[in-house]
Amino acid sequence: MTVAPLIEVKNIKKYFPYKKGLFGKKGFVKAVDGVSFSVNKGETFGLVGESGCGKSTTGRMIMNLLEPTEGAIIFEGHDLGSLNENEVRDLRKDFQMIFQDPYASLNPRMRVKEIIAEPLVIHGLLNGKQREKRVHELLEVVGLSSYHGERYPHEFSGGQRQRIGIARALAVNPKLIIADEPVSALDVSIQSQILNLLQDLQEEFGLTYVFIAHDLSVVEHISSRIGVMYLGRMVELADKDSLYEEPLHPYTQSLISAVPIPNPRIKRERIVLQGDIPSPSNPPSGCTFHTRCPFVTDLCKSQIPAFKETRPGHFTACHLYND
Amino acid sequence: MVQANLAHQPKDKTELARPQPVQVKARTPLSEFWRKFKKQKMALVAGSFVLALMLIALVGPYIAPYSSKEFDYESILAGPSLHHWMGTDAYGRDIFSRVLEGTRISLFVGLFSVLFGALGGTILGIIAGFYGKWIDSVIMRICDVLFAFPGILLAIGIIAILGPGLSNVIIAVSIFSVPIFARIVRSSTLSVKATLYVEATKSLGAKNSRLIWKHIFPGTVSSIIVYFTMRIGTSILTAASLSFLGLGAQPPTPEWGAMLSSGRDYLNTAPHVVFYPGMAIFVTVLAFNLLGDGLRDALDPKIKD
């Protein structure tokens, strides 16, 4: 692939400082500890991992809601960290976010049409009649009706609210949409509707998604490439098919083995991990996964495995695949 | 129910096939508020009483049977009668007329002192809550210092500097209302600031000014309204106390506190001279407090019906 990626994330880190007690020790929660990936135009990049692994923090850093402690985010050749506030605001038009909780992400005191028009107002796009027309258009694009614009968010169901959130994200014709667990707060039946809507919109408007989720079957459905995160680090990155057919990292293997198969008669072997996810304020030495890994070696405990291409297009951070 | 269903029967079959936009009355925040507010009988009564008071404040002097400055030496300290509904005071002035006229003064003082206090407190509270860090600490420590004084003592101190008089009472009461509003507004600013919809708006690229005006401030309005109403009652009481102490309105102004003060010498012989202005203060403060309670319950989204 010779196409330049739409967005490139280079070794970003986010450490949250904390202090225990008045005179207690200070330290850092290493929420994200050196994550790199790039997303090409028109693809859906899935980011999976269990809660607390730093996937949402990564999304927030891309959105510039959090400033990375280290590392760079490059969007269409612009390094976000080097731009000033106004330049970032201009770039914001090109990337938007869909939030996990559709009940909390809409201001309950605003009418739906005001909510959807807000990005247009902020960026000074369109005016008066045109703006209203655009809002009606957006409402219909996401499967609502134009008269819904007069209502308030509390008059809608969760799925409908998520549609409103999607309409708001689409308002300024973005190139990239970060979807932070957009369906995990919804009923299963509604989940598929929203996922299909997202896919239709992608085709129609040529959108690029970074899709953050913890549900592997959801990610499999929508993504073209998938990155698996564990405790602030990327452990495996591959296109969907090779990841699901041949997961290399033991963590990915166990995740995939845990996806339910809708047939009770199929006997399968699940890899059940022992123990809990360690605290990101005091991560294990070496490979952060070594405390729970079934194939742990002495090397794992002392040395952090490099994140490298083990198969063509398939990256893993695991000592098992060293030659 | 049956009738309602019949009423919505489609006239012909083609109408059935097309989904009709449902014409439900939009549930705006205002209609939602009114729906909850009108269920509270006590607050409704208090609210109508406050409205009546406002009306009296406007037209009081015109409907009063006597002038507040009219001396009637024939009937000094006369008890309530048909001619003087609330009796007369030591100079033979009609107490009913004076209470009516005093309404304007008390409401004026209460309303404006709280208005200025709320204005200052809201601005400081939003700045403290939104920007945080050192500016928050500075504002809140100053508020803590003001909180450490008993309200009336603080007001007396301010009057001592500014000199007695009704307008200085307004300034004094405003100043000690500021920290209360600052603290309340700061805490609701903090909670609104932490909501996902503020973060979502930030992610759209909104400037701070937009976040504050469109999201933070509207989020704090309901608590401001509630405390505004309740503080009016307290402010009226404080203003009356200051006048009673001779620091506010000066006689012969028909201010309720000043009337109490000049009537207290006759407490044993003519209790009606202090009773009626006292009742006026009591009922007014009570009405504002009950109204405030009702507003709080109606505006609190956590209290469902």
Side-chain angles (χ1 to χ4, degrees), chain B residues 5 11 22 36 65 80 83 92 101 132 163 194 200 203 205 224 254 263 267 276 287 291:
Chain B
N5 280 336
K11 288 181 196 81
V22 194
K36 283 190 196 167
H83 290 289
E101 241 175 87
S203 84
I224 294 174
L267 199 59
Y276 290 106
L291 179 63

Side-chain angles (χ1 to χ4, degrees), chain A residues 174-194:
Chain A
K175 293 172 183 161
L176 174 73
I177 288 184
I178 316 257
D180 185 4
E181 307 229 17
V183 297
S184 53
L186 306 174
D187 281 353
V188 178
S189 56
I190 309 296
Q191 284 189 0
S192 57
Q193 287 179 15
I194 296 290

Side-chain angles (χ1 to χ4, degrees), chain A residues 278-290:
Chain A
S279 158
S281 60
N282 186 21
S285 60
C287 173
T288 46
F289 188 58
H290 83 251

Side-chain angles (χ1 to χ4, degrees), chain A residues 143-184:
Chain A
L144 297 168
S145 302
S146 52
Y147 65 90
H148 284 129
E150 300 301 319
R151 300 198 183 166
Y152 286 86
H154 66 257
E155 297 172 75
F156 293 90
S157 68
Q160 285 174 316
R161 287 183 201 211
Q162 200 56 291
R163 286 171 193 268
I164 296 166
I166 293 170
R168 171 172 63 182
L170 288 175
V172 286
N173 280 323
K175 293 172 183 161
L176 174 73
I177 288 184
I178 316 257
D180 185 4
E181 307 229 17
V183 297
S184 53

Side-chain angles (χ1 to χ4, degrees), chain B residues 161-172:
Chain B
I161 297 166
L162 299 174
L166 212 52
S167 52
N168 290 344
V169 166
I170 294 180
I171 295 172

